[in-house]
């Protein structure tokens, strides 16, 4: 069984963040170890409060995890501030395994999940990624230059019409488009987190980047098709269905 290290925030409603990452790893038959960067009070309608951990506590979590487990891949999500980014950076460099960075800047509800003065550090962290998975807004915040990429980057939801299209830009200069049918509603709580953790699992299991993207996209599509309904109309992925269909 492959061990996936998740460095991310907690989502109290359970659809995104660490909770979505754990469910994704279980669906892939991988083991997830979690280093929590922040607690959020949130649901699909918004984020009402954020309580970040200290960089010392994040470091303590990571030490205990890596003392016991051989890590096969890393997924990075919400980091929130400079101190947490710098802590994560040291461990990513030390472990030197396939790393997927989901550069979380803002929730779909509009809540800010990254402090303004941490943008430069998060941009710099991308140099350690195997692949990063920003949406269009996050790519704009980080001022990503496709002519000088820090890593392979798949820009999520570059087209949302009759299809959902993600575009991969590789450091070697390739541009590859990945398309899947679009399932209503167009907004899905936790899809980005789950996609990034699915990529980490697929890479840990030996797939190359392009094949890992195909596997992760299919997993998310199937999870959306049987998604869980909430009171607010934003559906939550059903990760158990990710390999159905």
């Amino acid at each position: 069984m492959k061990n996936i290290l998740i460095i991310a925030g907690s989502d109290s409603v359970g659809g995104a963040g660490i909770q979505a990452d754990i469910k994704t790893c279980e669906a892939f038959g991988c083991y997830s170890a979690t280093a929590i960067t922040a607690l959020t009070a949130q649901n699909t309608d918004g984020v009402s409060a954020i309580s970040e951990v200290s960089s010392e506590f994040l470091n303590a979590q990571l030490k205990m995890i890596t003392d016991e487990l051989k890590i096969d891949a890393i997924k990075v999500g919400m980091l929130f501030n400079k101190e947490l980014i710098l802590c994560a950076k040291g461990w990513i460099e030390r472990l030197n395994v396939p790393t997927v960075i989901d550069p979380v800047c803002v929730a779909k509800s509009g809540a800010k999940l990254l402090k303004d003065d941490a943008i430069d550090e998060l941009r710099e962290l991308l140099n350690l990624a195997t692949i990063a998975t920003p949406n269009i807004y996050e790519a704009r915040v980080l001022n990503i230059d496709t002519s000088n990429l820090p890593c392979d980057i798949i820009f999520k939801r570059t087209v949302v019409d009759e299809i959902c299209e993600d575009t991969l830009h590789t450091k070697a200069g390739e541009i590859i488009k990945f398309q899947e049918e679009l399932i209503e509603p167009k907004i899905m709580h936790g899809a980005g987190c789950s996609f990034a953790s699915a990529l980490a699992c697929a890479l840990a299991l030996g797939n190359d980047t392009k094949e890992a993207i195909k596997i992760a996209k299919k997993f998310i599509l199937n999870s959306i098709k049987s998604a869980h309904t909430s009171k607010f109309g934003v559906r939550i992925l059903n990760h158990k269905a990710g390999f159905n269909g």
Side-chain angles (χ1 to χ4, degrees), residues 139-240:
R140 191 178 303 124
V141 168
L142 294 169
N143 194 26
I144 292 174
D145 179 4
T146 55
S147 68
N148 185 27
L149 292 175
C151 61
D152 290 352
I153 296 183
I154 184 161
F155 296 92
K156 296 178 296 188
R157 298 172 72 84
T158 47
V159 175
V160 181
D161 192 2
E162 296 301 318
I163 59 166
C164 181
E165 182 178 274
D166 300 335
T167 304
L168 172 67
H169 289 254
T170 72
K171 287 190 72 174
E174 288 183 279
I175 301 175
I176 306 169
K177 297 183 183 297
F178 297 84
Q179 298 179 345
E180 293 286 357
E181 62 184 293
L182 183 65
I183 306 296
E184 296 290 344
K186 293 181 182 179
I187 302 299
M188 292 295 302
H189 186 68
C193 302
S194 302
F195 175 69
S197 49
L199 266 180
C201 291
L203 290 170
L205 291 166
N207 297 281
D208 63 27
T209 299
K210 296 171 191 175
E211 187 62 26
I213 291 170
K214 293 177 184 177
I215 292 169
K217 280 186 67 66
K218 190 67 174 178
F219 174 80
I220 297 301
L221 177 64
N222 289 336
S223 298
I224 289 173
K225 284 180 176 179
S226 60
H228 184 56
T229 302
S230 76
K231 293 179 181 178
F232 301 132
V234 179
R235 297 168 71 212
I236 301 170
L237 272 65
N238 177 7
H239 297 83
K240 288 184 178 180

Side-chain angles (χ1 to χ4, degrees), residues 19-240:
Q19 288 84 348
D21 296 326
I22 293 170
K23 294 171 188 176
T24 300
C25 290
E26 288 179 346
F28 273 81
C30 295
Y31 184 85
S32 55
T34 60
I36 296 177
T37 59
L39 303 176
T40 67
Q42 70 170 294
N43 56 31
T44 65
D45 195 44
V47 180
S48 65
I50 297 173
S51 179
E52 73 267 34
V53 307
S54 67
S55 59
E56 292 80 9
F57 186 66
L58 177 60
N59 187 71
Q61 293 178 78
L62 289 165
K63 183 179 186 307
M64 295 300 283
I65 291 167
T66 56
D67 279 352
E68 182 158 10
L69 297 177
K70 175 187 176 296
I71 301 302
D72 297 295
I74 302 170
K75 184 264 174 152
V76 179
M78 178 184 177
L79 289 172
F80 194 64
N81 64 35
K82 291 191 292 186
E83 293 76 18
L84 294 171
I85 292 170
L86 291 173
C87 177
K89 180 181 179 181
W91 284 96
I92 294 168
E93 289 174 327
R94 192 177 313 174
L95 292 169
N96 192 29
V97 296
T99 298
V100 179
I101 297 181
D102 183 12
V104 176
C105 299
V106 64
K108 287 188 177 74
S109 63
K112 291 177 67 173
L113 302 177
L114 178 72
K115 289 189 174 180
D116 291 338
D117 64 359
I119 291 172
D120 288 344
E121 280 74 14
L122 183 56
R123 186 189 301 115
E124 181 69 20
L125 188 67
L126 298 184
N127 287 290
L128 300 181
T130 305
I131 185 168
T133 64
N135 58 34
I136 297 303
Y137 173 80
E138 290 161 344
R140 191 178 303 124
V141 168
L142 294 169
N143 194 26
I144 292 174
D145 179 4
T146 55
S147 68
N148 185 27
L149 292 175
C151 61
D152 290 352
I153 296 183
I154 184 161
F155 296 92
K156 296 178 296 188
R157 298 172 72 84
T158 47
V159 175
V160 181
D161 192 2
E162 296 301 318
I163 59 166
C164 181
E165 182 178 274
D166 300 335
T167 304
L168 172 67
H169 289 254
T170 72
K171 287 190 72 174
E174 288 183 279
I175 301 175
I176 306 169
K177 297 183 183 297
F178 297 84
Q179 298 179 345
E180 293 286 357
E181 62 184 293
L182 183 65
I183 306 296
E184 296 290 344
K186 293 181 182 179
I187 302 299
M188 292 295 302
H189 186 68
C193 302
S194 302
F195 175 69
S197 49
L199 266 180
C201 291
L203 290 170
L205 291 166
N207 297 281
D208 63 27
T209 299
K210 296 171 191 175
E211 187 62 26
I213 291 170
K214 293 177 184 177
I215 292 169
K217 280 186 67 66
K218 190 67 174 178
F219 174 80
I220 297 301
L221 177 64
N222 289 336
S223 298
I224 289 173
K225 284 180 176 179
S226 60
H228 184 56
T229 302
S230 76
K231 293 179 181 178
F232 301 132
V234 179
R235 297 168 71 212
I236 301 170
L237 272 65
N238 177 7
H239 297 83
K240 288 184 178 180

